């Protein structure tokens, strides 16, 4: 009986979350509406700081495993998976169409599995900026004050105060 109640609560939780996302996607991408969207979605996160702004068209899976600091902005059309755990520290900007994937399909017997996956927490350090169309893969730690160049694929850790870019992303220069 307890399992049934947990499943029922989980279903209700997701229906409410997705209804809010669907309803707020009617609002334009203006700072006021991004802030309203952040306030309405905020309680579903594991932890959320002040002034969270969320643009329209963002897809977030496993929101309850995601922690956000203060002044986090997530731009339109991002895809974020929190299954493995995601921590975005304060003053981080996630630009449009960024993919943050805390999971990876397993490769088993010559095939990519649709059933089994590997998970790994991602951490994005304070004051960092992930530019548009970038991908961050499971298990990555992005340091403080990092800029990830547009259309980069981050598959390894990036130290503090660097500009990184490319496929795969590499440190291009230190930032002062």
């Amino acid at each position: 009986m307890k399992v049934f109640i947990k499943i029922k609560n989980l279903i209700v939780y997701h229906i409410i979350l997705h209804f809010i996302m669907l309803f707020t996607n009617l609002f334009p991408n203006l700072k006021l509406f991004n802030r309203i969207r952040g306030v309405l979605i905020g309680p579903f996160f594991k932890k959320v700081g002040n002034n969270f702004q969320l643009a329209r068209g963002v897809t977030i899976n496993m929101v309850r495993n995601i922690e956000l600091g203060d002044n986090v902005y997530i731009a339109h059309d991002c895809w974020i998976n929190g299954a493995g755990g995601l921590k975005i520290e304060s003053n981080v900007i996630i630009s449009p169409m960024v993919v943050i994937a805390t999971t990876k399909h397993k490769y088993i017997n010559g095939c990519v599995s649709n059933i089994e996956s590997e998970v790994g927490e991602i951490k994005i350090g304070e004051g960092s900026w992930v530019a548009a169309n970038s991908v961050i893969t499971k298990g990555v730690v992005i340091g403080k004050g990092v800029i990830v160049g547009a259309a980069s694929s981050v598959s390894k850790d990036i130290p503090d105060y660097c500009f990184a870019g490319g496929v795969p992303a590499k440190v291009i220069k230190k930032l002062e």
Side-chain angles (χ1 to χ4, degrees):
M1 189 65 175
K2 279 187 174 184
V3 172
F4 177 73
I5 292 171
K6 279 187 177 184
I7 291 171
K8 182 179 169 190
N9 289 343
L10 193 59
I11 290 170
V12 171
Y13 169 90
H14 283 285
I15 288 172
I16 293 169
L17 171 64
H18 290 286
F19 176 77
I20 292 170
M21 291 295 284
L22 181 67
F23 174 71
T24 61
N25 275 338
L26 298 172
F27 303 156
N29 273 339
L30 299 173
K31 191 171 189 169
L32 171 68
F33 294 113
N34 291 343
R35 183 76 182 92
I36 291 169
R37 210 176 276 112
V39 167
L40 293 174
I41 298 301
F44 292 89
F45 286 88
K46 183 176 183 179
K47 178 184 170 203
V48 66
N50 296 318
N51 194 35
F52 171 48
Q53 295 181 52
L54 182 68
R56 66 188 286 190
V58 175
T59 300
I60 305 174
N61 297 320
M62 300 298 285
V63 69
R64 67 183 175 271
N65 293 339
I66 300 173
E67 298 179 42
L68 305 174
D70 296 331
N71 305 311
V72 170
Y73 172 65
I74 301 173
H76 64 276
D77 298 326
C78 290
W79 186 89
I80 299 170
N81 179 335
L86 172 61
K87 184 172 186 179
I88 300 175
E89 293 185 344
S90 296
N91 304 307
V92 169
I93 298 171
I94 307 294
S95 294
M97 294 172 273
V98 167
V99 172
I100 301 174
T102 63
T103 60
K104 176 182 126 182
H105 295 286
K106 282 188 177 182
Y107 192 74
I108 302 169
N109 298 325
C111 297
V112 177
S113 175
N114 188 14
I115 299 166
E116 293 186 46
S117 62
E118 300 171 12
V119 297
E121 184 177 39
I122 293 174
K123 180 182 174 189
I124 302 174
E126 183 175 353
S128 293
W129 171 29
V130 181
N133 294 300
S134 293
V135 176
I136 302 170
T137 61
K138 74 170 189 67
V140 167
V141 175
I142 295 175
K144 291 182 180 182
V146 168
I147 298 174
V148 175
S152 296
S153 180
V154 183
S155 57
K156 294 193 170 131
D157 294 354
I158 300 174
D160 294 347
Y161 308 108
C162 290
F163 174 79
V167 179
K170 294 181 175 128
V171 173
I172 294 171
K173 71 177 186 177
K174 288 293 235 174
L175 299 172
E176 295 180 19

